Amino acid sequence: MAQRPLTAMIGPGGPPDCAAYGLAGGWRGARRALRDLTPDAVITEVTDSRLRGRGGAGFGTGQKWSFVPRQPARARRKYLVANADEMEPGTFKDRLLLEGNPMQLVEGMLIAGYAIQASEGVIFLRGEYHLAFDRLERAIAQARQTGWLGRDILGSGFDFDIHVHASAGRYICGEETALLTALEGYRAQPRSKPPFPQVGGLWGAPSMVNNVETLCNVPHILANGAAWFRDLAPGSPDGGTKLFGVSGRVRRPGAWELPMGVPLRQVVEDCAGGMRDGYRLRAFLPGGASTAFLDAASLDIALDYATVEKAGSRLGTGLAILLDDRACPVGMLRNLEHFFAQESCGWCTPCRDGLPWVERLLAAIEEGTGQPRDLDLLADHVRLIGPPGRTFCPHAPGAMAPLASGLDLFRDEFLDHLRQHGCPRRMAA
Amino acid sequence: MSTADPALPPDLPPDLPPDLPPDLRDEIAAMMAATDHPHGVTVGALAAVQARFGWVSDAHLVELARLIGVSAAELDGVATYFNLIFRRPVGRHVIMMCDSVSCWLMGADALRARLCDRLGIQPGQMTPDGAATLLPIVCLGHCDHAPALLVDRTLHGDLDESRIDAIADGVRAKEQAREQGTERGTEQGREP
Ligand SMILES: Cc1cc2nc3c(=O)[nH]c(=O)nc-3n(C[C@H](O)[C@H](O)[C@H](O)COP(=O)(O)O)c2cc1C
Ligand code: SF4
Ligand code: FES
């Protein structure tokens, strides 16, 4: 059977405590890193593993760490932040890791903190994750008690502690610079780069923001080595396993740990039991709400960063949302754009004003008051705010990804709505 | 955005009577003392006030701003920015129903309408007896059990008509228990 390091300790009995975690193989990575390796050697190991960030953008993790200035923690304060905001619709993977094995995140943060010589770790947790909050607090307290957090960890001279920041909710807080602004106590608006957070982040200090799943991979890389990690995904350009999942009208929606590069068909058919009776797969968003639609013919492409991009979308968070043949694509786009319009932070005009306009156009088309020129207006929005660089952050381009692809893929449905003055499915119902 | 000036911000009436209970003031002072960057406590302090009173009133906001050393306008800007800080009163139970895409695909709209019916309110409103407020929320990370909603700290998934009815009844039952003084500490966790 394929290995599942990320989820091996996750079971119905609740998360392992500090001792059980150790007995099941935990802390080996931290021990090796802190006892046997220099911070630079840890970074090299992670770079060699080909771990790419699991927060959506897929940047090489080791490479990202190497951008942090090298002084030791005592010379200048540095921060490591675990991004546990997880508000992307259709995404539920970090929750599994946070609730199922919080100690793994603590160990991952300890190693990452050592690699960049951070003095302080922060878990930026979305406020609605109450169970995760309680379990993280418990895990951190135990780790502190057993000496895995605090001063002079393992006699290495390295000091590191973690605290949890419960956010008060806004999707944009997941964007790394907005997250830092939120931690500083301001309205969570993104910042322009440069300076990059690695150099000038939280309170102006060098800061590393990593996704929860990214950090949870780190203990295993250090315990078993970069080559082992690469081999978890044989033949794939990306190393390791990943939580892949589906939501929508499948028999058993869920998330599963699989090697990088599996095709979505395997997730849908083998893991999720296929579509429910009476439903056919029409199209899917491969990695959350801000990725472009692919049609059912793309079910067999490999789920790795490069292949999904070549197919015209993004791997994103790796959790696919399935559109079935009985749901209305226009209605789905309206739902998606409502989310993006509502969650715009309002900082840049194209996003603040353009997204509500998009939402209104889609609502009109769905409700039967749309005009043929509305399709051109929608396409204009895609053209004007879709390309990166027109706005402060990728929120607006992310919002345009499903729309651009949807206008293409579902053109006939859009025209049917206009011709019949409303949603044909609603009228038939 | 300087917070260095300890003088009272001009928008605060200097003779405002204290409204926050002393232990809550102490709690917030302790939060500020525990960090090199007291400004970072704004969200946590707002949440602490809300945990006590259910929402953040103008009087509390103004007093909190003075404690932290920011203008009331700035703190209000932060408070109104975040989904989970309430600047208006909410019911004793807050029901947040996901309106994002996976839940929509699984039929959340019809279930929300049913819940509105059962509670006699629209999203954004509080029941006349103050028992519950219904709010929309973005994806709760429970999409594998869509449609989903959160009642206070308890997550409910795989919603259908009978579960929606049970949730509405459950809020009512908790209210009755409260009236009879038998309610135990708030349950938290997840429905099986
Ligand atoms: C609007 C927006 C929301 C985001 N939300 C999240 C999130 O909830 N969690 C996350 O890990 N990354 C999120 N990201 C990506 C982060 O900005 C950042 O790239 C990521 O946390 C880096 O971690 P990684 O290198 O480990 O992937 C978001 C990005 C944008 C533009
Ligand atoms: S693109 Fe949108 S969310 Fe991002 S900074 Fe601009 S207004 Fe804010
Ligand atoms: S879309 Fe509703 S819980 Fe994720």
Side-chain angles (χ1 to χ4, degrees):
Chain A
M1 217 186 98
Q3 297 187 67
R4 317 183 281 111
L6 276 175
T7 54
M9 281 189 230
I10 298 181
D17 63 13
C18 196
Y21 181 75
L23 283 175
W27 303 120
R28 282 191 300 135
R31 212 171 274 126
R32 172 165 173 244
L34 269 67
R35 280 214 182 124
D36 307 338
L37 300 179
T38 63
D40 278 348
V42 174
I43 295 180
T44 305
E45 186 86 63
V46 172
T47 307
D48 290 348
S49 76
R50 295 205 205 114
L51 171 65
R52 294 177 64 164
R54 308 297 199 225
F59 200 84
T61 303
Q63 197 189 356
K64 194 164 140 180
W65 289 359
S66 72
F67 297 151
V68 176
R70 287 302 150 87
Q71 308 95 318
R74 265 187 294 269
R76 192 171 168 204
R77 190 176 281 248
K78 294 183 222 171
Y79 296 95
L80 172 76
V81 183
N83 190 343
D85 199 48
E86 191 155 74
M87 288 177 78
E88 175 102 347
T91 301
F92 49 98
K93 65 183 181 72
D94 295 338
R95 161 166 239 153
L96 299 177
L97 297 168
L98 293 161
E99 291 179 355
N101 192 358
M103 206 64 84
Q104 180 172 250
L105 177 62
V106 170
E107 187 184 355
M109 288 181 75
L110 169 59
I111 298 168
Y114 175 73
I116 63 164
Q117 290 287 290
S119 53
E120 211 174 309
V122 182
I123 299 173
F124 188 96
L125 182 72
R126 75 174 286 188
E128 294 90 341
Y129 279 11
H130 298 291
L131 189 60
F133 181 86
D134 295 343
R135 290 183 172 178
L136 283 167
E137 289 272 325
R138 201 179 316 150
I140 290 166
Q142 283 180 4
R144 220 176 262 147
Q145 228 169 28
T146 36
W148 286 108
L149 291 176
R151 300 207 150 269
D152 190 21
I153 299 165
L154 282 192
S156 63
F158 177 62
D159 306 335
F160 186 71
D161 210 337
I162 300 177
H163 74 267
V164 184
H165 172 93
S167 171
R170 272 312 280 270
Y171 172 61
I172 196 63
C173 292
E175 194 279 331
E176 58 181 355
T177 61
L179 183 154
L180 298 173
T181 313
L183 281 176
E184 291 179 359
Y186 298 98
R187 293 170 74 96
Q189 269 138 357
R191 307 172 179 179
S192 68
K193 301 184 226 181
F196 286 87
Q198 290 93 308
V199 181
L202 191 58
W203 309 114
S207 306
M208 174 57 50
V209 180
N210 280 130
N211 170 260
V212 167
E213 187 184 359
T214 309
L215 290 164
C216 286
N217 276 296
V218 169
H220 307 289
I221 294 170
L222 269 294
N224 301 302
W228 167 88
F229 190 77
R230 288 196 306 269
D231 288 346
L232 288 175
S236 172
D238 305 321
T241 56
K242 160 116 198 56
L243 287 174
F244 290 108
V246 282
S247 60
R249 297 278 180 187
V250 286
R251 288 210 172 78
R252 288 185 306 275
W256 299 271
E257 184 179 356
L258 297 161
M260 265 293 184
V262 296
L264 186 63
R265 183 183 298 283
Q266 185 181 335
V267 187
V268 173
E269 291 178 1
D270 300 353
C271 303
M275 299 300 286
R276 293 189 189 182
D277 291 336
Y279 294 91
R280 223 165 31 79
L281 177 66
R282 174 77 203 277
F284 60 94
L285 301 171
S290 62
T291 60
F293 278 102
L294 296 175
D295 67 12
S298 304
L299 213 48
D300 290 305
I301 63 163
L303 292 176
D304 64 57
Y305 294 95
T307 310
V308 180
E309 205 161 316
K310 225 169 82 199
S313 190
R314 283 191 312 117
L315 182 63
T317 62
L319 282 285
I321 307 164
L322 306 188
L323 169 69
D324 60 79
D325 60 335
R326 288 166 64 176
C328 174
V330 178
M332 181 170 174
L333 280 166
R334 178 186 177 182
N335 177 283
L336 288 165
E337 298 306 333
H338 165 74
F339 163 79
F340 287 112
Q342 172 187 294
E343 292 299 320
S344 165
C345 82
W347 200 231
C348 357
T349 312
C351 180
R352 179 187 61 239
D353 292 355
L355 300 185
W357 190 357
V358 164
E359 185 192 351
R360 282 198 301 276
L361 290 167
L362 290 167
I365 293 170
E366 207 202 3
E367 274 157 20
T369 55
Q371 307 291 322
R373 66 182 280 266
D374 291 351
L375 294 186
D376 298 329
L377 281 173
L378 287 170
D380 285 345
H381 279 88
V382 166
R383 189 168 51 78
L384 292 171
I385 58 184
R390 306 277 170 97
T391 51
F392 254 97
C393 92
H395 177 82
M400 290 302 99
L403 180 64
S405 50
L407 284 171
D408 246 21
L409 211 53
F410 311 125
R411 184 158 183 88
D412 291 347
E413 265 99 345
F414 272 100
L415 295 175
D416 284 346
H417 279 71
L418 291 171
R419 264 193 303 266
Q420 300 182 37
H421 302 291
C423 178
R425 287 165 220 257
R426 270 208 222 169
M427 288 186 285
Chain B
M1 289 201 277
S2 161
T3 57
D5 184 2
L8 211 57
D11 56 340
L12 296 189
D15 51 355
L16 191 89
D19 209 14
L20 292 171
D23 66 316
L24 195 53
R25 294 178 68 95
D26 291 348
E27 186 185 328
I28 289 156
M31 286 163 81
M32 291 173 65
T35 162
D36 300 341
H37 302 282
H39 195 280
V41 309
T42 55
V43 170
L46 287 163
V49 171
Q50 182 163 298
R52 183 74 59 93
F53 298 100
W55 65 297
V56 180
S57 68
D58 286 351
H60 286 154
L61 181 102
V62 169
E63 204 185 331
L64 195 57
R66 189 193 290 168
L67 269 178
I68 302 177
V70 298
S71 76
E74 188 196 316
L75 192 60
D76 193 35
V78 174
T80 52
Y81 189 81
F82 289 99
N83 301 334
L84 300 181
I85 302 294
F86 308 137
R87 287 285 279 116
R88 274 190 283 165
V90 290
R92 285 176 292 277
H93 301 287
V94 177
I95 305 176
M96 295 202 262
M97 182 156 181
C98 172
D99 66 1
S100 293
V101 65
S102 306
C103 289
W104 179 86
L105 280 163
M106 298 301 283
D109 282 359
L111 295 174
R112 184 178 312 104
R114 187 177 181 102
L115 185 58
C116 287
D117 254 17
R118 300 282 298 208
L119 296 170
I121 49 171
Q122 291 301 305
Q125 296 179 339
M126 174 165 58
T127 55
D129 62 356
T133 292
L134 176 62
L135 297 172
I137 190 83
V138 303
C139 176
L140 289 165
H142 206 39
C143 330
D144 47 342
H145 294 279
L149 60 70
L150 190 66
V151 184
D152 301 327
R153 287 166 63 91
T154 309
L155 188 61
H156 300 261
D158 300 313
L159 299 175
D160 55 19
E161 295 187 349
S162 69
R163 307 200 99 200
I164 286 285
D165 294 353
I167 286 162
D169 293 346
V171 168
R172 202 151 293 136
K174 273 198 206 166
E175 274 298 291
Q176 276 168 6
R178 190 186 71 92
E179 276 155 24
Q180 292 158 10
T182 55
E183 191 189 35
R184 307 237 298 276
T186 328
E187 280 287 299
Q188 86 97 57
R190 168 171 308 184
E191 274 244 309

